[in-house]
Amino acid sequence: MSRGTRLVAWTSTAEYVAVGELLYSESPQDRHRGVLAVKAWRARARVPAAVDATATLVELQLSDSTQPVSQQRLTLSMALIRFVNSILDLEQRTTVAQSMAVLARRVGMPAWFVELRHACTHEQVPSLRVLRAAHAHALVWLDEHYWRRQTRALPEDTRDRVRAAVAEYVRARDTVKAAATKRNASEFDAAKAALVALTGVLHSDAVGAHVVRVLLEPGVLVPTDKRMRAKFPECTMPSQLARQSTSLLRLLADVWGESVLYDELLSAICSALVPQSSEGGFEPATLGPSHAATLVAWVRWILDKHYQPAGSDTPSNVSVDDLLETCLRNPGYYSRAVLKAVSDVDPALGRDLRPFVDYMGKALAALAAADARPVRSTVDAEEMRKEEELMQT
């Protein structure tokens, strides 16, 4: 799960797009230049699995075919194994490993890629003709499922476009709910189609970079009306908020899959709630109490709907590993609330977390009592009182 600024190997968006075009050029010289560029990127930083796989496959395409057939088969089979493993391993987010076939369906990879990988690994290596055909299909798949979508995800106004599409969806949804006329229903259908059309061409990286950021802005998953928000200490999801938001989340989950959407939502919520401290101290949070309580309520809701404890027969759509690590490394009022939410959903894990939750509570109480420093995340009592009065009016 990604958080904050991400280090990339390319110097600009233009360079990234240009290298992608070189790798898929008709000219062997251009493709060779694309491979060299990716090799330079590898020396600078870690490159995405799809970029690495593309460069490897293109390099093999350009390599000398005078080697013995057995050597060519071995080289191509290893490249295809690495291609399938590197793409599908990114989807392995649960504590219980899921099968390659399940992961392939999630990302839209043809099942025969997985079968070919199995044959290359555990059975007789396929013929050179089959391997070359698979090699060509792999490059086509990477182009359609990574490069084309990633290019669409790069424009600087992407978040503004997503924000506008989501706002129109919310407006049309509320309008048709207030008056279910034929015209309003038609506008709502158009808003849904426009949102799907926009988000459907974005690469999954754009979910965390743009889409979930918009969802967490006031007015979507966090109501602008504070009376509709959750509140501490219960952080219970308001039923009206859950009802009106479920259709939007279901729509986006149909586009990318539940695992991608809800993993990225958990990541973004954690980033908003839990300040990143290099010293591991008790850092102040920057969100107001009702905003934070609503985000904690969404953590609880996502885990309740899409998380399965370790040892469960049902695969989990989301993982809590990164969530737990961030909260434990950055103790505070809100991180403690997140750990309590996880404990409520997974009682067995909660027993292991109990000492840490108790420690955070005692440490925060001691800090507040001693007034060692202003701790925003302990929530100002007067502000809490005013918000509760507003909610009751």
Side-chain angles (χ1 to χ4, degrees):
M1 291 159 66
S2 57
R3 299 196 203 337
T5 302
R6 182 179 298 177
L7 178 67
V8 295
W10 44 92
T11 58
S12 67
T13 297
E15 179 188 345
Y16 176 87
V17 172
V19 170
E21 292 175 349
L22 288 173
L23 289 170
Y24 283 91
S25 171
E26 294 292 332
S27 166
Q29 291 77 17
D30 285 346
R31 294 203 299 276
H32 180 65
R33 288 170 55 204
V35 170
L36 292 179
V38 174
K39 288 184 176 181
W41 288 354
R42 289 170 182 155
R44 298 176 193 166
R46 184 177 180 180
V47 299
V51 174
D52 187 66
T54 304
T56 299
L57 293 173
V58 170
E59 185 173 20
L60 284 177
Q61 197 176 55
L62 297 171
S63 63
D64 187 5
S65 60
T66 59
Q67 293 179 325
V69 172
S70 59
Q71 183 63 38
Q72 292 183 55
R73 290 170 62 197
L74 179 61
T75 302
L76 284 172
S77 64
M78 292 300 294
L80 289 168
I81 291 171
R82 183 179 178 186
F83 155 66
V84 175
N85 287 350
S86 63
I87 299 299
L88 298 188
D89 282 349
L90 297 175
E91 297 297 316
Q92 197 71 266
R93 297 187 175 99
T94 61
T95 52
V96 179
Q98 295 178 288
S99 70
M100 287 288 190
V102 170
L103 300 177
R105 284 197 299 270
R106 184 181 299 164
V107 300
M109 180 181 288
W112 66 265
F113 272 128
V114 176
E115 295 170 1
L116 185 64
R117 170 201 169 275
H118 182 83
C120 292
T121 306
H122 304 291
E123 300 173 1
Q124 184 176 0
V125 177
S127 68
L128 184 59
R129 180 180 178 182
V130 170
L131 290 170
R132 283 177 173 170
H135 175 281
H137 280 291
L139 283 172
V140 171
W141 188 89
L142 285 165
D143 185 35
E144 294 177 349
H145 288 77
Y146 180 80
W147 289 99
R148 294 185 189 180
R149 293 188 179 188
Q150 184 70 1
T151 301
R152 289 295 301 273
L154 292 172
E156 295 181 358
D157 67 340
T158 296
R159 190 175 301 185
D160 292 335
R161 294 163 59 201
V162 172
R163 184 180 291 113
V166 170
E168 177 58 21
Y169 173 93
V170 171
R171 184 204 65 77
R173 178 200 64 195
D174 294 345
T175 300
V176 78
K177 187 179 297 183
T181 65
K182 185 175 181 179
R183 177 179 178 180
N184 290 343
S186 178
E187 290 182 354
F188 184 40
D189 289 341
K192 286 193 291 185
L195 182 58
V196 170
L198 172 61
T199 57
V201 297
L202 299 177
H203 187 263
S204 58
D205 284 353
V207 179
H210 301 295
V211 179
V212 298
R213 308 293 173 177
V214 171
L215 295 181
L216 297 182
E217 293 174 356
V220 188
L221 297 185
V222 180
T224 53
D225 185 351
K226 292 183 178 181
R227 292 171 294 185
M228 290 183 61
R229 297 179 180 178
K231 56 182 179 179
F232 287 109
E234 297 85 1
C235 298
T236 302
M237 172 65 72
S239 57
Q240 182 179 352
L241 176 59
R243 284 196 303 271
Q244 74 179 21
S245 303
T246 299
S247 61
L248 174 59
L249 293 175
R250 188 182 300 117
L251 183 74
L252 296 175
D254 287 343
V255 175
W256 291 299
E258 292 178 342
S259 180
V260 171
L261 176 64
Y262 292 116
D263 256 339
E264 291 293 349
L265 261 177
L266 286 177
S267 175
I269 291 172
C270 189
S271 294
L273 285 172
V274 184
Q276 302 292 299
S277 169
S278 60
E279 299 177 356
F282 286 77
E283 292 295 309
T286 57
L287 299 177
S290 65
H291 193 147
T294 305
L295 294 184
V296 174
W298 275 115
V299 170
R300 188 188 301 272
W301 184 91
I302 292 171
L303 296 180
D304 185 58
K305 301 290 184 183
H306 302 284
Y307 168 74
Q308 294 294 332
S312 174
D313 294 333
T314 305
S316 180
N317 284 325
V318 296
S319 169
V320 297
D321 294 347
D322 288 346
L323 189 73
L324 294 179
E325 181 179 355
T326 301
C327 290
L328 292 172
R329 286 181 178 273
N330 301 277
Y333 189 89
Y334 297 160
S335 55
R336 182 173 182 266
V338 172
L339 293 177
K340 290 179 66 177
V342 174
S343 299
D344 290 342
V345 176
D346 187 345
L349 181 58
R351 288 192 289 271
D352 295 332
L353 293 174
R354 178 74 178 273
F356 301 98
V357 173
D358 290 345
Y359 163 74
M360 286 187 190
K362 293 176 182 177
L364 288 166
L367 283 174
D371 197 23
R373 68 196 237 194
V375 180
R376 180 73 174 91
S377 57
T378 59
V379 185
D380 181 78
E382 180 64 20
E383 183 177 358
M384 181 72 82
R385 184 186 64 79
K386 290 180 180 178
E387 290 214 9
E388 290 180 346
E389 289 178 352
L390 177 61
M391 293 177 185
Q392 294 170 0
T393 59

